Structures are given as C-alpha cells and as structure tokens.
Amino acid sequence: MYNRDTGSSQSVTLSNLPPFASRANIPGCTAVLIAPNALLSAAHCVNYAGSGTVTATWNGQSRSGAVFTNIGADHIVIVTSTPFTGTLGKMTAPYSGSAENGRLAWKVANGGNGVLGYGGTGPFYDGVFRAMTTRLEVNNVASPPSPVTTDFLYYDFDGPPTRLNNSSRPTTYYEGGTAPGDSGGPLYMFENGRWYVIGVTSGPDAGYYRDGRVRTDMGQIESATGYSWARPTTPALEMKWVAQDLVTTLSDGSAVTSWPRQGGTDAWSNSTGNGAVGSTTLAYNATPTGKAAIDFPGTARLALPAASNPVGGETAFSVAMVVRVDAAGTGTETNWFDNTGLIDADESGVKNDWGLALPSTGKPGLGIGNTDTTNYGSGSSIADGQWHVVVATWDGSEVTGDAVGSDRNMSVYVDGVSAVSRKQGAEFLNVARSAVTLTLGGSRNAARYLDGRIAEVRLYRGALDEAAVSTLISELKGTHVAPQADLTLTRPANGKAVVQVNQGLVIDGSFGSTTPVISLTQASGPG
C-alpha cells in the first residue's frame, strides 16, 4: 500500500478504524472476514489452484488447514473448520449490489509501504495494515477501461490533495494505490448505512489498479460458505387488509371466511388447512370513526397461506395493526411464542420465525427467532378495551458493535413514536424469515387467541424509519381512532392573533354541537 498524500503513519491509523476490523491474512497476502469461519482473498495468492488448504489469520487468531475454493474473477473463498471468536460486529458482508461505478472506496491491506510511493523501497511484507481511499474511475490513460466490468473493478491514482477541486481528475483525501503484498486486500464501500466489501486486490494493469469484483461471484460465495447476508432494504408496503372493505359483501355480524388484501387476492381465511381455528365475524361501525372491524371472540384465528406471506425471505420487515384488545394475553414478557399471538409465524425448533404477540401485561411484543429475542412495548397495557395503533419493525442488517447505526434493530411503537421500545435481535447472517403460513388473532402453534377486534393490518418489506412510522400512525389513527382537528383562525382576518407580553390567550370551541370541546389557553404572552 502506498499513499503519496498523507504518508504511512496516517495510512496505518486509517486502517485501524472499526469498519475495517474484518481485515485478515493468508501467507503473503491479505484477506477479509465475511463470516465467523469464512474469508475472501485473491486466487493468484494460491497460484490459481482450484482448491487446497491455507492458514488464515484474523485478529491474532490463526486457523490452519482452512479449505479454499477458486471461484473465478481472481477470488478464493476460504472456510475454516473452527470459527474465529469475537467476530460479532467485525465481519463485513460481501456486496451484492451494482452501484460501484464512480463511488468512493477504501482499500486496506498489509503488503508494506510499497515501492512507488511514500516509504521508498519497502519492505514489501512488513505485516502492518495500511489503508487508502480511491474512486472507482480511470482517467489517467488514453483508453481507460470501464471502471466496472463483469469480473473486475478499476481505479487509478489521482493525488495529490491540491487537486481536490480538479474537475477532470478529482482526488480523494487519502488517495493511494496498491503495491506488492497487498493482493487479496479488501476494497470497502459504504452504502445505505452499512459497510461492504466490493472487491479484493488483483493487481496493477497497464497504468491503473484492478480488483476482483465480489458481486459477480456472490452465488458461489454463498454456496461455498452456506451463508447469506442481510443488507439494508428500502421499505415498501407489500400488503394491506382493511376490514371496512368487507362491508360491500358481508352483512353486520356475518362470519368472515375470507379477508382479501387491497389490490389483490391474498386473503386471511378460515381454512383449517392453513391453520385457522373457529369463527370470526364482521362488526360494522366498530371503531370510533365508524369503520368496520373483524371480531375475534377469544376462540378463533384466521390464516394466510405460505405462498401469500410477504415476509418470507425478507431480512427486514414492518408490521402495523389497528387493534382493540378486550382481555390481556397469556405468558410473561419473555418469548413471544409463549404469549397470545396477534400475528404469528412461530415454528417448532430453531427457525427463522417471528411474531407479534400479547403477554399477560398487555404490552405488545415483537419476537424474532433463531436468537429468540422479543422486544416488548414500553408503555401501558393495550388490553383496555380501547383502540390502539401498534407498529413493529425489524432490520437484520443493523449490526451489533460495528460503529454504525444504533445497534437496536427491533422497535415497537404504540400510538406514537414517543412510546417506543428498542432492542437488538437477529442480524447479519442467514436471517431471512421463513416463508410459512401466518395466523392472525391467535398463536400459530398453540390454543391462545385474541379477545378483541382488528380493523386494519399492514405488512411492509423493510424496516420503516421513525419519520415513516410517525406518518403511518397518524394516518391510521385518523382513519380508525380519532380524526385530527385542523384549527384555523377566522378572526382576525389575517389569521393571526397578537399576544402582548404578560397577556393571555384563550381559545374555546367544539365540533359543532358534539364533544370533545377544544380549550387551549396560553397563560402569558412572549416574555
């Protein structure tokens, strides 16, 4: 590694930053840790052998006899028989996207100071990690290659920093290049709140630098390691069920045999083959705003077929529900699968299941399986016979201890974003949720049922952020629970009231002849 702009000491400091803790070694080359027992490096480091064994070293731990497989594009996947320890938050996911072109990237390797830049003639292999930055583009040769091809990523050296504002060849602050011994070194990129490894050093090529492109071999990487990796997911509404939609086809008090989603045929039904039990009914004018709801009598649940489950295969999701609970659930605030299911995907054994459930405390809890973590609401019980909006989110790409994000990937909101509880659940590796049948209004694998009503259910791909949750809760409360009042001053005509210092302002009124009455008092004017 060399860096003409800042020198070796700054390059060493940069390489020690937390996002680059996945850097590793094999003899004579650098590697990167992508899972507790899996690494990537360059195929030319093992003379392009198809397979074999090598010693891998990470964070002072060595694993001899690690099996490598040549997967093309100058890549090898290395799998150790014994996982490294202490890897949580220090692994880097391989990149499966396609947005590398022109992006800022960080190269980390330990070949030495290099022969072309700061540090003179070496040594080539001093065992010290160094880092530099670059941008994926080539503009220093007459006929440059495309920065991104099927198998490789290309970049060049654009220093020094006095050229930061040069429009033809803008440099990065830690601009540098690779040197002998840097082979296999990871090329990192930051996208949507996460760090990824997008390439490994393949070597210089006709005046520029080349990395094997990770995306090209993602299928083989996953096959060789047995892992899949979560990455941030753009939230999108997948399915929405609104009980009011049923009033056009069902009379008040009728049994609900099928509750199709808006804009599609995916339906909650009373099919026992999918796990439904008992009978639910449609209740007209059930919510404070006069909307219909499904009545769950404490002895019934509806079911959604596995083929319709929009959460199946997702590494992040959100669920929203407008619900009235007339009796507390069962079980303590320990595991959701021991509570009364509101919407449930529980499976027997260690599985990637999940559920939204109600314990005896009446505080809704979101549970994620294969770590069996349940995050319960922080506020009061919702088992009060009143209507509530519950929103729960989970983002499997939020990684513990990676110095990025909040390290809290599960959130439960009740009636507003101020009443939120957060916790860390399943993350990063092999966390996609199982595509199984879902149950609504009762636990999937136990005779525990909701005594209450549900007016609307939504399932989202991806984890909604707090701003989106706030907007969603306001919308659902306005539709089902209580309309929001828009107040406008009609006098004075300009719509403004001037309040002098130490004077008061009182506003009284009502919605026509009905309650509630609005009474807003400002005790004193601005002081």
Side-chain angles (χ1 to χ4, degrees), residues 186-205:
L187 186 65
Y188 296 94
M189 186 177 80
F190 188 74
E191 181 179 85
N192 294 331
R194 294 268 73 81
W195 288 92
Y196 298 95
V197 55
I198 62 173
V200 297
T201 305
S202 181
D205 188 354

Side-chain angles (χ1 to χ4, degrees), residues 66-394:
V67 177
F68 69 80
T69 303
N70 189 329
I71 58 173
D74 203 3
H75 288 145
I76 55 171
V77 176
I78 305 164
V79 178
T80 65
S81 58
T82 303
F84 293 100
T85 61
T87 59
L88 190 64
K90 298 179 180 179
M91 304 168 286
T92 304
Y95 184 67
S96 59
S98 57
E100 305 103 323
N101 194 3
R103 297 288 293 277
L104 179 66
W106 288 256
K107 169 64 68 176
V108 179
N110 72 339
N113 288 3
V115 294
L116 299 176
Y118 192 93
T121 59
F124 292 168
Y125 308 102
D126 64 357
V128 177
F129 283 103
R130 292 174 175 83
M132 61 91 174
T133 57
T134 190
R135 197 169 296 279
L136 292 180
E137 59 187 12
V138 177
N139 46 30
N140 67 345
V141 294
S143 299
S146 171
V148 179
T149 66
T150 299
D151 290 333
F152 295 101
L153 304 172
Y154 296 92
Y155 49 95
D156 58 13
F157 180 79
D158 291 320
T162 54
R163 301 177 62 175
L164 284 170
N165 297 318
N166 187 311
S167 59
S168 62
R169 286 183 60 191
T171 186
T172 61
Y173 189 78
Y174 292 96
E175 188 82 19
T178 57
D182 292 335
S183 294
L187 186 65
Y188 296 94
M189 186 177 80
F190 188 74
E191 181 179 85
N192 294 331
R194 294 268 73 81
W195 288 92
Y196 298 95
V197 55
I198 62 173
V200 297
T201 305
S202 181
D205 188 354
Y208 38 84
Y209 302 98
R210 183 181 70 181
D211 273 42
R213 189 185 185 196
V214 168
R215 180 187 189 276
T216 299
D217 296 323
M218 273 299 298
Q220 294 181 78
I221 292 170
E222 291 180 346
S223 176
T225 62
Y227 291 109
S228 61
W229 288 265
R231 58 189 305 236
T233 302
T234 301
L237 177 63
E238 292 287 329
M239 296 185 184
K240 176 171 72 172
W241 295 267
V242 182
Q244 182 66 23
D245 294 341
L246 296 177
V247 300
T248 59
T249 57
L250 294 179
S251 60
D252 189 16
S254 296
V256 176
T257 59
S258 178
W259 184 16
R261 69 177 175 93
Q262 287 190 350
T265 59
D266 304 281
W268 299 100
S269 76
N270 64 346
S271 169
T272 56
N274 289 323
V277 172
S279 179
T280 61
T281 56
L282 181 66
Y284 280 22
N285 299 312
T287 74
T289 60
K291 302 297 184 182
I294 310 296
D295 185 73
F296 291 82
T299 57
R301 67 188 180 217
L302 296 175
L304 187 72
S308 296
N309 179 356
V311 175
E314 297 295 344
T315 60
F317 70 88
S318 303
V319 56
M321 178 180 292
V322 182
V323 61
R324 192 189 84 185
V325 180
D326 297 329
T330 57
T332 61
E333 291 187 14
T334 305
N335 291 307
W336 96 92
F337 47 77
D338 292 324
N339 304 143
T340 299
L342 295 175
I343 180 168
D344 198 17
D346 176 39
E347 296 183 87
S348 299
V350 180
K351 301 291 180 62
N352 286 356
D353 47 5
W354 67 278
L356 182 66
L358 197 71
S360 59
T361 61
K363 299 179 181 181
L366 173 66
I368 298 294
N370 210 354
T371 57
D372 289 347
T373 304
T374 303
N375 178 33
Y376 292 93
S378 60
S380 302
S381 168
I382 65 169
D384 55 5
Q386 304 298 313
W387 284 92
H388 297 277
V389 177
V390 178
V391 178
T393 69
W394 167 71

